[in-house]
Amino acid sequence: MKKLALVLTVSMLPLAAIAEDYVYDPGTYWTVTAVDTHPGHFDDYLENINGAWKKSMEMLIADGKVLSYRMMYNVNGANDEPDLYLMVEWKSGAEMLDTPRSYYDAQNEKLFGSLDKGQEQNIKRGEIRTIMGETLLREITFK
């Protein structure tokens, strides 16, 4: 067993050396949500997320889970492209993937007063927008 451990340790050394030779460093994780607003409801949607979504992001930042958030408007989007991208920079992949559902339930109760009222708001948002997809990205920077 000791020989196997020694062989595995020695065989991993070149990988560590190679990793240092990369021209980039891995950075933070980002979720990017593509949103298509229904015709005539772009401003309605922005008004809506200026409330709950923005407060939610600020709560996540205060709790140390999120570093930043941004919105990007697709200025010259085609008919089959989203109008808006909501971007969230997570402190770590673990914060994004391993935060228990109970945390978000408690956050919704703070934002809306109850889970039922939060669900009602989510349904109303669904009437003015369509989520086209969500992507998980990891930032890389050159050394």
Side-chain angles (χ1 to χ4, degrees):
M1 191 64 155
K2 288 183 182 178
K3 287 182 182 179
L4 179 60
L6 179 61
V7 169
L8 288 174
T9 302
V10 171
S11 69
M12 296 298 278
L13 289 176
L15 293 176
I18 291 170
E20 291 177 10
D21 290 336
Y22 287 125
V23 298
Y24 64 89
D25 287 321
T28 54
Y29 289 89
W30 288 80
T31 51
V32 179
T33 304
V35 181
D36 185 45
T37 57
H38 296 176
H41 289 287
F42 183 80
D43 290 338
D44 297 334
Y45 183 67
L46 286 182
E47 183 177 323
N48 182 281
I49 64 171
N50 187 40
W53 184 74
K54 183 178 174 184
K55 288 177 187 173
S56 173
M57 292 298 107
E58 294 300 328
M59 290 167 71
L60 286 162
I61 289 171
D63 289 345
K65 297 183 177 303
V66 164
L67 298 174
S68 68
Y69 61 96
R70 293 173 174 75
M71 292 185 305
M72 300 288 178
Y73 172 56
N74 189 359
V75 177
N76 291 316
N79 287 337
D80 58 345
E81 294 180 343
D83 298 316
L84 192 66
Y85 294 92
L86 305 177
M87 303 168 55
V88 180
E89 180 183 22
W90 294 86
K91 180 179 178 184
S92 70
E95 291 293 347
M96 180 196 53
L97 297 171
D98 296 335
T99 298
R101 171 81 185 230
S102 59
Y103 171 85
Y104 294 106
D105 287 347
Q107 189 183 53
N108 277 326
E109 287 183 0
K110 287 179 191 174
L111 289 169
F112 301 108
S114 74
L115 292 177
D116 288 339
K117 288 182 182 177
Q119 182 65 20
E120 287 173 21
Q121 289 299 313
N122 194 37
I123 291 169
K124 286 181 181 179
R125 269 190 305 282
E127 294 170 358
I128 60 174
R129 59 93 171 112
T130 300
I131 301 295
M132 296 181 73
E134 186 171 72
T135 303
L136 173 62
L137 303 172
R138 188 159 191 196
E139 185 175 11
I140 58 174
T141 56
F142 290 114
K143 291 182 178 183

